[in-house]
Amino acid sequence: MSTVAACEAAQTCWFSCRAGALGGQTWTDGPLHWTREGAEQNLMFPTRIPADAVRRGVEQARETGVRIVGAWLGTDVDASALAAAGFEQGWAPSWMTAPVADVGVADDPRVELQEESDDYSGEYADYAEMLKLTRVRPQHTWYAAAYVEPGKSASRKLAGPRFAGRAWSHLTGETAGVFDMNVWPRLQRRGIGSGLLRAVVTAAAQAGARHAVLNATPEGQLLYETCGFRQIGAGITWWLHLEA
């Protein structure tokens, strides 16, 4: 089984690789490790949080047009400097892990691995840029999309398969981190989530992953448990929303 430290390292690597591929930035300031991607900046799992370094991080966020600053912490870390800087406590991730062999095989015909996507448009168009991570070689990032057939009452505009959800995995050493897994609410409870999860974990396993890790919301935890994951710890998030 992986440790909580391995879970934190996997997420830090994921955020850092995203920033590097998408024109963002990563930097350290004393014990603080920051990533910035677009309008969001994140502080990744510090063991201590000096108030002056937090202030510098927030100042840089304002100067670069960031609108949301997140902080990801272990529950034993003193967050008083974040509270003093205006951050508010957010949701509590449940760290979960499973041997890749326990997750199950990728066999859902509704799910496919992709390196390019036409599923995002309008305000979501920039999301497709993230798929450039899947085209880096040797490959360490995988993206899966799920599709379902439209119902009998669907309009002609929905004559083809409908985009139903997505998931990512990112390989750090022998650990596959699973991220941004989402099945659209109206299409949940059809087995799509488990199909997505198995697709991205299997892809990472074929590249050398031995364990998979993820952070779960309370709503998602039951699904992950049915796919072999077990909780090994918990974290906490803090958020600061900056005015435009």
Side-chain angles (χ1 to χ4, degrees):
M1 285 287 185
S2 291
T3 64
V4 170
C7 297
E8 295 175 349
Q11 182 158 329
T12 300
C13 183
W14 167 240
F15 276 46
S16 297
C17 286
R18 278 174 36 181
L22 300 173
Q25 184 182 4
T26 64
W27 70 98
T28 58
D29 183 358
L32 304 190
H33 178 78
W34 295 95
T35 70
R36 179 180 57 79
E37 178 191 333
E40 184 167 329
Q41 181 173 308
N42 284 280
L43 172 60
M44 307 305 298
F45 306 106
T47 56
R48 61 185 183 88
I49 309 175
D52 57 343
V54 171
R55 286 193 296 270
R56 288 192 293 271
V58 172
E59 288 171 3
Q60 181 154 345
R62 295 184 190 278
E63 292 170 357
T64 54
V66 166
R67 295 292 171 257
I68 301 174
V69 185
W72 300 76
L73 312 178
T75 55
D76 59 340
V77 177
D78 181 2
S80 57
L82 296 176
F87 285 72
E88 296 181 348
Q89 186 171 308
W91 69 288
S94 294
W95 290 114
M96 304 185 75
T97 184
V100 295
D102 291 355
V103 178
V105 297
D107 59 0
D108 192 328
R110 299 170 297 179
V111 176
E112 59 184 64
L113 296 174
Q114 298 178 345
E115 294 185 6
E116 294 183 348
S117 175
D118 296 323
D119 290 320
Y120 301 98
S121 60
E123 63 180 302
Y124 304 106
D126 290 347
Y127 193 91
E129 285 295 304
M130 286 179 55
L131 270 75
K132 67 174 59 176
L133 287 163
T134 68
R135 302 191 291 272
V136 174
R137 296 294 183 270
Q139 190 168 7
H140 52 74
T141 304
W142 296 266
Y143 169 87
Y147 302 90
V148 297
E149 295 297 330
K152 293 181 180 179
S153 62
S155 69
R156 292 183 180 179
K157 292 182 179 180
L158 296 177
R162 287 184 293 166
F163 183 34
R166 64 174 178 239
W168 296 79
S169 64
H170 180 76
L171 184 62
T172 304
E174 296 183 339
T175 300
V178 177
F179 303 103
D180 202 16
M181 197 175 97
N182 200 349
V183 177
W184 318 145
R186 67 185 183 280
L187 299 172
Q188 292 175 358
R189 296 180 175 82
R190 302 187 188 186
I192 297 170
S194 57
L196 286 165
L197 180 63
R198 288 170 177 147
V200 294
V201 170
T202 296
Q206 292 171 349
R210 296 181 58 193
H211 294 91
V213 300
L214 52 81
N215 61 62
T217 62
E219 295 78 11
Q221 192 165 348
L222 180 59
L223 164 65
Y224 301 131
E225 288 174 347
T226 64
C227 293
F229 284 80
R230 296 293 178 265
Q231 184 174 354
I232 58 171
I236 192 65
T237 60
W238 287 76
W239 302 95
L240 175 66
H241 295 267
L242 301 176
E243 295 181 1

